Structures are given as C-alpha cells and as structure tokens.
Amino acid sequence: MSKYALTVKCVSKRGVVAAISTYLAAQGCNISDSAQFDDQETGNFFMRVTFTSDEGKQIEELRDGFEETARNFEMEADFHDENVKMKVLIMVSKFGHCLNDILYRWKIGALPIDIVAVISNHNDYQKLVVNHDIPFYRVKVTKENKEQAEAQQLEIIEESGAELVVLARYMQVLSDEMCTKLSGKAINIHHSFLPSFKGAYPYKQAFARGVKMIGATSHYVTPDLDEGPIIEQDIVRVSHAQSASDYVSLGRDIESQVLARAIHAHVHRRAFLNGSKTVVFPASPNSFASERMG
C-alpha cells in the first residue's frame, strides 16, 4: 500500500484543517500521522499529514482533486510519495567524516535517499565514492576560476536531477548567485561556535578559551554566510581534562549526527522555510527504521 505525505503552507484561516481532513476522508484515505503549526507572529500556517489510500488512489489523482481546496485557502500544497527517494548530491572537500556517515546511513537504508553524485574540489574521496557506484566529479576552485567552476557545478546538479544539495564540510564559500539558485534545496553543516570563533582552527580557539560545550548547526544555504534558516542543532559537553584534539573528534561526531538529522527532516518534507527561521515537525512513526537493522 502506497504511503503519501501532504505538505501545506498558507495564511492561517478558520477551517483549513477541517478542509484537509475532509478531502482525504472523501478520497478514501486514512491519516496515520499529522502535525501542524500556527505561527502567531507571521500569521502563517504549516501542516504535514501522512496517510495511506485504502482505495488505491494514485498521487496524481489526489493532487489534481485537491486543487480547488488549495485555491480556496491560497495554499502552497503538494503530495509526495513516501516510497520515492529524494535525489541528493553531496559536495565535500578534505574532511570526510560527514560524507562517510551519509554513505553508511544511505547504504543501510537509514537515510532514504538516492545519492546521484558527489562533487569535490579535491580527489581525496574519489575512490571511496566510485567504490559505492556513485559518480564523482572533481571541480577545482580557485579565485580566478570561481565563476566557471560554479557554472560547472550547477550543470552537474541539473543534469543529475538532484533535488537536494548537501554541503558535507565543503570548504568553499558559494557565491550569492549560486546560493540564490539553490535556495531552499541546499543544506550546510558547521560548528556552533559562530560567531565566537571564526576562521581557522575553531576547536583550538575554543580549547584555549576553556569552553564547556561544543556543538554543530545545520541550516539552509543563503547568501548570508552560515546564517541561513536553522534545521537542526546539538551539543556535547567537554571538560578541562580534554585536549584540543578531543574537541575536534567530538566535533566531527556531532557534525555528522546533526547533518544526518537535517537531511532526514528535509527528505521527509518535515522542514518548512518560515522567513529567516524554519518549522521542523517531529518524525512520523517508523521513519527512522533502517532496511538493514543490527
């Protein structure tokens, strides 16, 4: 039985929830999970519903039939087949912890994605990627060729059919033009020291200051460097007894986990842009289950 998700964003109006549930019931659909949020500050309403079609309705039929309801409430709404994996392209530089973590989660089915390509400005992970039967593209980036390099990257993204671009510790600053073109479909990861410890060796800077917590932030990419709408964050406590190298190792672990959770939220359509912030609904039951457990 097909499992679908309906995502909705609109101005908050009376009757919107009733209209959605009434439509699904009339189509012979059974709601398995539902989450909603009414933003009192902006007046925006967000909703995500997962359901099955007891009558075997196809997604195109459900989408077409919902047009009148969407029009009446001026909704941004769409139906998604939960069994169709989102196409993801990964960009990486010389730090491979996030890439390796994503590949492992993808391989065991913990991240229900289709990795269509990996782009890097170095060759360090070419063999690893190719051994996973994933296309690898080396695109060297310098100050002199940045415009041409980004044009090549965008061409690869388009030709691969990627619906999401993941910057898995890709250590090149994207231009404003590229950020704009990837708006809402590119995710980045970085340590959570910003703006306290900028530049090179942030973990060593944190160690020198004796911080007691380190963390990571994953967010949507915008022209404002490392200031896009936040999807996921987490922290780990550290103590005076740990070294700067410990900070780096712990930081890599938390970065990998936070990025994976952000990808999970996006590919399950749980993350909604809400101005400079996001609305991120809890995961539906069984959505964290892996195809290969144990």
Side-chain angles (χ1 to χ4, degrees):
M1 184 180 296
S2 294
K3 186 176 181 180
Y4 301 120
L6 168 62
T7 55
V8 171
K9 177 183 177 180
C10 64
V11 174
S12 180
K13 293 181 181 179
R14 184 175 58 198
V16 61
V17 175
I20 292 170
S21 58
T22 298
Y23 172 78
L24 292 175
Q27 297 299 314
C29 298
N30 182 40
I31 295 175
S32 56
D33 185 54
S34 179
Q36 65 191 67
F37 175 64
D38 199 337
D39 190 336
Q40 299 296 318
E41 291 187 358
T42 64
N44 290 328
F45 174 82
F46 304 85
M47 189 170 186
R48 177 183 179 273
V49 181
T50 59
F51 62 93
T52 54
S53 174
D54 294 342
E55 298 179 2
K57 293 286 182 68
Q58 298 300 305
I59 194 168
E60 294 81 8
E61 184 180 358
L62 293 168
R63 184 181 289 119
D64 293 343
F66 193 69
E67 285 184 357
E68 183 178 354
T69 302
R71 190 165 50 249
N72 290 340
F73 287 90
E74 300 179 82
M75 296 176 182
E76 295 176 25
D78 201 3
F79 288 81
H80 312 275
D81 189 335
E82 293 276 271
N83 295 317
V84 176
K85 296 178 179 179
M86 185 177 290
K87 294 181 178 181
V88 174
L89 182 144
I90 301 170
M91 297 179 69
V92 65
S93 291
K94 281 184 169 290
F95 298 107
H97 51 286
C98 289
L99 172 65
N100 276 281
D101 184 77
I102 293 169
L103 289 174
Y104 176 73
R105 294 175 191 267
W106 161 74
K107 191 172 182 179
I108 67 170
L111 275 180
I113 58 177
D114 178 13
I115 303 177
V116 293
V118 172
I119 296 175
S120 180
N121 51 330
H122 301 281
N123 275 325
D124 297 53
Y125 300 104
Q126 181 180 20
K127 184 177 180 180
L128 170 69
V129 172
V130 171
N131 284 346
H132 281 82
D133 295 322
I134 299 170
F136 178 89
Y137 299 91
R138 162 81 186 288
V139 180
K140 187 176 180 179
V141 183
T142 65
K143 291 182 179 179
E144 293 72 27
N145 81 333
K146 187 176 182 67
E147 185 176 346
Q148 294 82 1
E150 288 195 341
Q152 184 181 351
Q153 291 168 345
L154 286 169
E155 184 179 354
I156 295 168
I157 292 168
E158 183 177 354
E159 290 181 352
S160 70
E163 302 164 87
L164 174 66
V165 175
V166 176
L167 305 184
R169 291 304 305 270
Y170 179 68
M171 306 305 289
Q172 291 286 326
V173 177
L174 303 186
S175 68
D176 290 358
E177 292 78 13
M178 189 165 184
C179 289
T180 300
K181 289 179 180 178
L182 296 177
S183 178
K185 63 174 187 177
I187 292 175
N188 194 16
I189 183 70
H190 60 75
H191 59 77
S192 285
F193 297 134
L194 295 172
S196 299
F197 306 114
K198 292 184 177 180
Y201 310 112
Y203 289 104
K204 290 184 178 179
Q205 296 179 55
F207 173 77
R209 286 288 302 276
V211 304
K212 297 299 184 279
M213 290 188 297
I214 59 177
T217 295
S218 186
H219 60 88
Y220 285 110
V221 173
T222 67
D224 297 319
L225 181 64
D226 292 329
E227 295 183 12
I230 294 169
I231 307 169
E232 183 63 56
Q233 291 180 297
D234 206 347
I235 59 168
V236 60
R237 298 195 66 86
V238 292
S239 77
H240 63 276
Q242 289 163 325
S243 67
S245 296
D246 290 333
Y247 280 32
V248 172
S249 296
L250 291 167
R252 286 173 179 170
D253 284 344
I254 203 73
E255 287 171 4
S256 299
Q257 294 171 40
V258 167
L259 181 58
R261 294 204 295 266
I263 296 170
H264 190 278
H266 182 89
V267 301
H268 281 282
R269 276 89 178 186
R270 296 191 286 111
F272 296 72
L273 285 168
N274 185 23
S276 60
K277 301 187 292 184
T278 58
V279 172
V280 183
F281 289 127
S284 297
N286 207 45
S287 65
F288 284 111
S290 302
E291 295 170 2
R292 294 167 56 188
M293 300 295 289

